Amino acid sequence: SSGTFMVKSCSCEVSCNDDIFPSSEEEEPQKKIPVMWTSLKHNPLDFTKTFGSSGRSLSGYQWFSGITAHFLPSEGRNAQEAAREAFSSLQANMTSEGLKLKDIILVHLYMKSMKDFNVINSVYMTEFDLCPPARVCVETLLPDGVLFCIDCLAHKYDVAVDDVLRDEKLVMHVQSISHWAPASIGPYSQSVKVGEVLYCAGQIALVPCTMQLVSGGVRTEAVVSLRHVERVLQAMSQKTALHHVITASCYVTDSKHIPIARSIWQKKLRECKKVEDSETNHDVTAVCGLLAVVVIPHLPRDAAIEWHVIAVVDDPLQRKHFAMKMLSEGFQIECEFVESSSASCASVSVRLSLISPSTSHLDLDGPLHDLVATFRQAVEKLSEDCSASPLSFRAFFKEGIFDAEALQTGLREYLEKYLGKKTPALILVPVVDLPGKEVIHITCWLS
C-alpha cells in the first residue's frame, strides 16, 4: 500500500511510486456475449494441418508457423521424443528453404501446459548454439495431445558488394545474475538486433538479483516487467525507448488485468513522448507501437503478465500511421498500421468485435471476408518506398466462440485470394479472453 517494494538494499531496488495505484482511465471488463455462429460445430483446430510459411521477403526474412509436437502417453511415446520430432520437422522445412536453425531470430512457443516447461527446454537448448533466438513462451488453449506449437522468424543475411555485411545480426544473451534486468530463464536471448530492428524476448517481473517473481500484485508486475523491456532496449541501442516499439503483445492471466496493462502501457508511452518533446521541441506527435492484450491460462513462474515487443531504431516522429473502421450488421472491424520512418518494416492490427448484444447468430464467412479485405487495404496503403512483405498473420481468437477449423479454412482461403504469393504465415492462437467485445485480434509483422 505504500507504493514501493524493496529488495533488501541491493542496486536493483525498484520504486514504483504511483505506478501501482489504480488509474482513472481503466475500464471494467466487458460482460461476455453469447454468440452462436451459423453452422457452428465446435470442431477443434487440427494442429497436424497448421504448418505454413510466408514467402521470402526482399530483405531475406521468412516466417514459419504450425510446427507442433504431439504427445499422447497411451501411445508409448514421451515428451522428449515428441519435442525432438517437432524440431526435426522445423529443421527439415527450413533446410528446404535454404535456411538453418541458426538463422532463426525470434520464436513463439505456445505450450499446452507450463508443467512441461523444463522438459521442453531440455530439448530446445540442444537445438541452438550460444546465441539462441529471442523467445516468447506462454501457455495457451491447445487441444489434448499437442505438447506445444512453434512459429518463428528467420533471416538469411548475405554479404553485399564491397564485402559490407548487410543487416548484421547482434545478439544479447545474458545468463549471469545481474542487477539491471533478469538473466534468461531458458535457452533464449534477451534480444536480437538485425539492422535497425530489435526483436525482444518476453519479459516477466523477475527481481534481477534473486530471479524470483516480485511481490505486490499484477500492477507491480506490469510496471517491473515493462521496465525490464526498457532496459533491454537501451542496452541494445542507447537511445532506444518504449516509443520506438512498433508492435507489442501483452499476455495476462486474468481478464481483470487487461485494463491495468493498457493503462500502464499508455502512461509509459506518455512519459517517453514528454522526454522526446522536451529534447526535440517538435510539435509533431510520435507514432508509437500497436498493442495487443490477450488472456491466456498460465505464464512461466506463475507470472500474471508478460510483455513482448519489437522495436525499431528510427524516428517515431516520422513514422506513418493509418487507422480505419468498418461497421456491419452485428460486428465491427478496426484496423491500424504503423510503418517505420525508414519504410523498412511495419505492423498491422485488425480487430473483429461484436457490437450488438441481441445478435445471436452470425455467418462466419462475411466477417472473415471483410477482415482479410480490410487487412489487404492496410497493406496497400504502405508508402511507395516500403518494400516490406507481410510475414506473419497471428490470429488471437476467443476459444469456444466459433468453429476453429472453419476459422482456419476461411482465413487461409481469403488470404490466398487477396494476397496471392504475398500470403503471410497463418498462426492461430486460441485464448481465454480479449478486451471488450473483441472475438478476434490479428497482428501482422511486415519486413
Side-chain angles (χ1 to χ4, degrees):
S1 62
S2 66
T4 303
F5 67 88
M6 307 290 287
V7 188
K8 296 184 178 179
S9 58
C10 80
S11 59
C12 60
E13 168 189 317
V14 183
S15 173
C16 288
N17 299 322
D18 61 343
D19 283 334
I20 69 168
F21 292 101
S23 166
S24 59
E25 299 174 14
E26 294 179 16
E27 305 168 359
E28 289 296 322
Q30 296 285 339
K31 293 182 179 180
K32 291 180 170 56
I33 302 171
V35 174
M36 295 292 288
W37 301 94
T38 56
S39 70
L40 181 62
K41 299 177 183 178
H42 282 298
N43 291 326
L45 195 60
D46 185 353
F47 276 82
T48 64
K49 301 177 182 178
T50 56
F51 174 76
S53 68
S54 68
R56 185 84 60 89
S57 74
L58 293 176
S59 299
Y61 292 92
Q62 190 167 5
W63 211 295
F64 296 85
S65 64
I67 302 294
T68 57
H70 299 269
F71 169 54
L72 290 173
S74 60
E75 296 178 353
R77 302 174 67 207
N78 59 41
Q80 288 95 334
E81 290 172 341
R84 290 191 190 99
E85 186 176 296
F87 279 104
S88 294
S89 174
L90 173 61
Q91 190 163 28
N93 283 290
M94 292 190 66
T95 299
S96 68
E97 296 288 342
L99 296 165
K100 299 179 180 179
L101 289 182
K102 69 177 184 179
D103 296 319
I104 297 176
I105 56 180
L106 176 64
V107 170
H108 285 75
L109 173 59
Y110 295 111
M111 300 178 53
K112 171 68 175 177
S113 173
M114 276 296 160
K115 294 178 182 178
D116 298 315
F117 186 76
N118 291 333
V119 173
I120 294 172
N121 268 343
S122 68
V123 176
Y124 189 103
M125 67 189 304
T126 66
E127 302 294 334
F128 296 100
D129 56 20
L130 294 177
C131 295
R135 191 177 77 178
V136 185
C137 178
V138 303
E139 179 182 311
T140 191
L141 301 172
L142 299 179
D144 292 340
V146 178
L147 185 66
F148 65 76
C149 186
I150 281 179
D151 65 86
C152 58
L153 174 63
H155 180 245
K156 185 76 171 180
Y157 56 93
D158 300 312
V159 177
V161 292
D162 300 326
D163 294 326
V164 176
L165 194 61
R166 181 181 298 170
D167 290 342
E168 182 181 7
K169 181 169 73 172
L170 302 175
V171 178
M172 178 196 295
H173 186 205
V174 180
Q175 294 178 292
S176 58
I177 298 297
S178 67
H179 293 278
W180 66 279
S184 59
I185 58 172
Y188 62 86
S189 297
Q190 280 86 347
S191 183
V192 176
K193 183 175 183 287
V194 181
E196 63 179 9
V197 184
L198 294 99
Y199 302 90
C200 296
Q203 289 286 345
I204 58 176
L206 298 177
V207 178
C209 67
T210 66
M211 294 299 290
Q212 300 299 311
L213 195 69
V214 70
S215 60
V218 63
R219 188 174 297 277
T220 303
E221 285 192 43
V223 173
V224 173
S225 52
L226 199 53
R227 184 167 297 170
H228 293 337
V229 172
E230 289 183 284
R231 289 176 175 173
V232 169
L233 291 175
Q234 290 166 1
M236 289 295 285
S237 182
Q238 188 175 2
K239 293 186 178 181
T240 308
L242 284 182
H243 65 299
H244 286 94
V245 169
I246 198 165
T247 184
S249 298
C250 181
Y251 298 91
V252 296
T253 56
D254 193 306
S255 300
K256 295 178 182 178
H257 301 162
I258 294 175
I260 297 172
R262 294 169 84 172
S263 66
I264 290 174
W265 173 257
Q266 292 299 326
K267 180 174 182 179
K268 295 297 292 184
L269 287 182
R270 285 195 301 271
E271 292 174 357
C272 288
K273 288 179 180 180
K274 288 179 181 178
V275 173
E276 180 79 9
D277 291 342
S278 64
E279 291 179 351
T280 62
N281 295 318
H282 279 296
D283 294 328
V284 183
T285 302
V287 175
C288 300
L290 305 177
L291 174 65
V293 184
V294 302
V295 182
I296 44 85
H298 291 101
L299 289 168
R301 300 288 181 89
D302 287 324
I305 187 168
E306 177 175 326
W307 299 93
H308 166 244
V309 306
I310 301 178
V312 184
V313 186
D314 69 343
D315 183 357
L317 298 172
Q318 300 299 319
R319 288 177 175 175
K320 183 178 180 181
H321 175 259
F322 172 80
M324 59 181 170
K325 180 185 293 186
M326 188 192 79
L327 297 176
S328 187
E329 184 178 357
F331 67 91
Q332 74 174 15
I333 294 174
E334 298 171 277
C335 178
E336 284 186 272
F337 84 74
V338 174
E339 180 186 315
S340 68
S341 62
S342 62
S344 64
C345 57
S347 176
V348 178
S349 168
V350 190
R351 303 180 298 278
L352 173 65
S353 303
L354 301 175
I355 58 175
S356 175
S358 61
T359 301
S360 60
H361 290 80
L362 288 173
D363 182 3
L364 182 58
D365 186 66
L368 293 187
H369 169 275
D370 293 344
L371 189 150
V372 177
T374 303
F375 171 73
R376 181 186 66 170
Q377 290 180 46
V379 172
E380 291 174 346
K381 287 185 178 295
L382 295 173
S383 67
E384 295 180 358
D385 297 330
C386 186
S387 59
S389 299
L391 299 177
S392 62
F393 193 87
R394 190 178 310 277
F396 297 107
F397 66 97
K398 289 178 68 170
E399 199 271 340
I401 290 287
F402 35 59
D403 185 359
E405 185 178 344
L407 175 64
Q408 178 190 32
T409 302
L411 286 175
R412 182 169 288 163
E413 176 184 335
Y414 286 121
L415 284 170
E416 292 175 354
K417 176 181 178 181
Y418 284 126
L419 293 160
K421 293 182 179 180
K422 289 191 174 182
T423 298
L426 176 60
I427 305 156
L428 290 105
V429 186
V431 297
V432 176
D433 203 4
L434 292 166
K437 299 177 181 180
E438 291 180 22
V439 290
I440 301 177
H441 190 134
I442 305 291
T443 64
C444 180
W445 177 250
L446 300 90
S447 188

